[in-house]
Amino acid sequence: MTPENEAATRYFDAIASALKGLEIFMRDDRSPLYRHGIVAKIVAEYIARLEKSFSSWRNRLGFMESFRISRADSGFPLFQNLLELENDRRQAPKRLANIPEPGMLRSEMADFILRHKEFPAALQKTMAERLYLEDIKDGETFGPFTLAQTAKVSVNPKTMRPYYLVHWASFDGTANLPLIYMATVEDSSEPMISQLVDDNGKINSRVDIPLPVDGLLNPELAHRFDDFTEKNSAYTLSPATIASNLDKDFETLHPKQLRRVVLGPFYSAGITENNSTVTEVLSKVRKPENAWLLTWTIQEVFSKAEKPGRKGLWSSEKATQEFFINTDDLEAARQGVSSYEKHALIPHEAYQALYAAGEAQKIFSGYKVHILSKGQVISDV
């Protein structure tokens, strides 16, 4: 194994352990997100996509020479890897048609060993490529952009409007960070109100809504909404900016809340260089699979009031939202949010190393720390 592939193997072991730990945290009934069951469920779906992507990239090393990550910043793969994975997924059926079946490849490998008395490296690469393509062809990976889904539909009894919980995801190509978005949006379009809301201000029980629904539930706005989310999911845009743009661009859609989960940075001993102190301490952790630290941030902006629209003879204005930005918190104001939470997940052995080095308090200042130990996550340490 080359030094590069050895480093990649250590990286994949570490990120697999981190994502598995994050999945455990999401399912823990003591988790802050567990109180919002549907939020934890949505985030878990995207974590599963990330796990599938990393598993596929690991398989890809069997026939490709290199894999590049953002070592100095996010600790996640470079955006180019996602583009290549998406391209491979689309071409998978065509490429698989030109590669022999696994059984035939195994027979050829056995025959090669018997005849040449050496390892069939070329055939092994072909087999690795086949397994990789079979693994990704279903499309359940974390792509450059994942189209929106409507996960929940309800009615606001005050406004008598239906509202949707919609989620989507993107991988920011500049910051190299996975981003997960969730928005609660009221819909004031007359066709949707008449179809979804009954006389008692509840969801019309005669309408069958097979959730989750791909795209925004409103079919007249679904394509426009997809275009909007794809153009307004950059990490450089604050949640307040995205929510305001959504409010401005759609006359009958009224965003009441926008939540963004920013996964990363990720720190891995001997691989990432995004924090010299963390890197130095993690390098002393005995087991490489425990020498990592995963951070994430949950950002939220919500509407504190709605300014009523007006219709006049010569001009009209749509109803607009007044989003609350917590200016008493300088960091919240900088992020453009009503509130935010910073989380850190770390294996017990790595936390002990940071604590023994006297670095834990400084590194985790402002974070909610969660320790992974023996398949369980301990929070509030």
Side-chain angles (χ1 to χ4, degrees):
M1 183 182 288
T2 65
E4 291 79 7
N5 277 10
E6 188 177 337
T9 299
R10 282 190 284 115
Y11 174 76
F12 283 123
D13 285 345
I15 196 74
S17 180
L19 293 175
K20 183 68 176 175
L22 186 54
E23 197 174 13
I24 292 170
F25 172 74
M26 292 297 163
R27 292 175 178 169
D28 192 332
D29 59 9
R30 293 165 298 177
S31 158
L33 281 183
Y34 191 88
R35 295 195 298 270
H36 310 282
I38 195 165
V39 174
K41 181 176 180 293
I42 289 168
V43 174
E45 288 174 9
Y46 289 110
I47 293 169
R49 283 178 172 267
L50 270 176
E51 287 180 309
K52 183 66 177 288
S53 291
F54 279 103
S55 172
S56 300
W57 282 320
R58 187 170 197 153
N59 289 340
R60 197 168 183 263
L61 279 181
F63 62 96
M64 297 296 287
E65 292 302 319
S66 63
F67 182 81
R68 298 181 65 199
I69 67 169
S70 174
R71 296 178 65 177
D73 294 303
S74 72
F76 275 86
L78 295 182
F79 188 61
Q80 183 66 26
N81 293 294
L82 280 91
L83 296 177
E84 290 171 355
L85 189 64
E86 182 67 12
N87 186 55
D88 289 345
R89 184 188 66 80
R90 291 174 179 172
Q91 294 184 0
K94 183 179 178 180
R95 286 168 60 180
L96 282 168
N98 295 318
I99 300 176
E101 292 290 332
M104 186 179 295
L105 282 171
R106 291 189 189 97
S107 296
E108 288 184 26
M109 290 171 75
D111 184 59
F112 185 95
I113 293 170
L114 288 172
R115 285 190 294 111
H116 298 280
K117 310 300 182 187
E118 61 182 70
F119 190 77
L123 286 169
Q124 187 197 36
K125 283 190 174 185
T126 303
M127 176 68 89
E129 183 177 5
R130 176 160 196 102
L131 295 176
Y132 163 75
L133 292 169
E134 287 179 344
D135 194 42
I136 65 171
K137 65 182 180 181
D138 63 8
E140 291 301 311
T141 54
F142 197 105
F145 180 77
T146 305
L147 290 169
Q149 278 193 337
T150 301
K152 181 181 178 182
V153 184
S154 194
V155 177
N156 182 341
K158 294 181 181 178
T159 62
M160 297 293 280
R161 298 171 182 162
Y163 66 86
Y164 322 126
L165 175 60
V166 191
H167 62 88
W168 66 96
S170 71
F171 192 96
D172 188 272
T174 302
N176 294 302
L177 289 168
L179 308 173
I180 301 166
Y181 289 91
M182 285 161 269
T184 303
V185 184
E186 287 188 13
D187 189 343
S188 62
S189 57
E190 289 301 328
M192 297 306 290
I193 292 175
S194 61
Q195 183 180 357
L196 295 176
V197 184
D198 65 18
D199 294 337
N200 298 315
K202 299 185 181 299
I203 284 290
N204 189 343
S205 59
R206 291 173 295 178
V207 178
D208 181 32
I209 307 172
L211 296 172
V213 174
D214 287 341
L216 187 74
L217 191 64
N218 186 327
E220 292 184 3
L221 300 177
H223 288 302
R224 273 185 61 205
F225 189 83
D226 284 343
D227 289 340
F228 172 87
T229 50
E230 192 161 6
K231 293 172 183 174
N232 287 266
S233 294
Y235 181 56
T236 52
L237 296 175
S238 72
T241 298
I242 297 170
S244 297
N245 288 347
L246 177 58
D247 188 38
K248 179 180 67 178
D249 288 3
F250 293 86
E251 185 171 352
T252 60
L253 294 183
H254 314 277
K256 298 298 181 180
Q257 181 192 52
L258 179 76
R259 182 183 280 116
R260 176 166 71 184
V261 180
V262 182
L263 291 175
F266 175 69
Y267 307 87
S268 178
I271 309 292
T272 58
E273 302 165 351
N274 35 18
N275 185 306
S276 58
T277 303
V278 173
T279 299
E280 183 182 345
V281 177
L282 289 181
S283 67
K284 298 173 184 175
V285 174
R286 186 169 53 89
K287 293 182 179 179
E289 64 270 26
N290 288 337
W292 55 264
L293 165 63
L294 175 64
T295 63
W296 70 95
T297 304
I298 303 172
Q299 302 170 310
E300 180 185 341
V301 65
F302 62 83
S303 172
K304 62 180 180 179
E306 181 173 294
K307 181 183 176 183
R310 65 175 183 82
K311 292 184 178 180
L313 187 60
W314 306 110
S315 65
S316 62
E317 292 179 0
K318 65 157 284 183
T320 55
Q321 307 303 308
E322 294 180 28
F323 295 105
F324 171 66
I325 303 298
N326 186 4
T327 53
D328 291 335
D329 185 323
L330 292 178
E331 181 61 18
R334 186 190 68 78
Q335 293 184 29
V337 295
S338 309
S339 63
Y340 69 94
E341 292 179 359
K342 295 167 71 176
H343 294 262
L345 177 69
I346 186 169
H348 184 254
E349 185 184 353
Y351 182 81
Q352 281 185 316
L354 288 171
Y355 188 83
E359 299 289 352
Q361 188 171 357
K362 181 173 69 175
I363 288 169
F364 295 122
S365 176
Y367 283 86
K368 296 186 176 183
V369 182
H370 316 284
I371 297 175
L372 181 63
S373 179
K374 298 179 181 178
Q376 293 185 317
V377 175
I378 305 164
S379 298
D380 302 320
V381 295

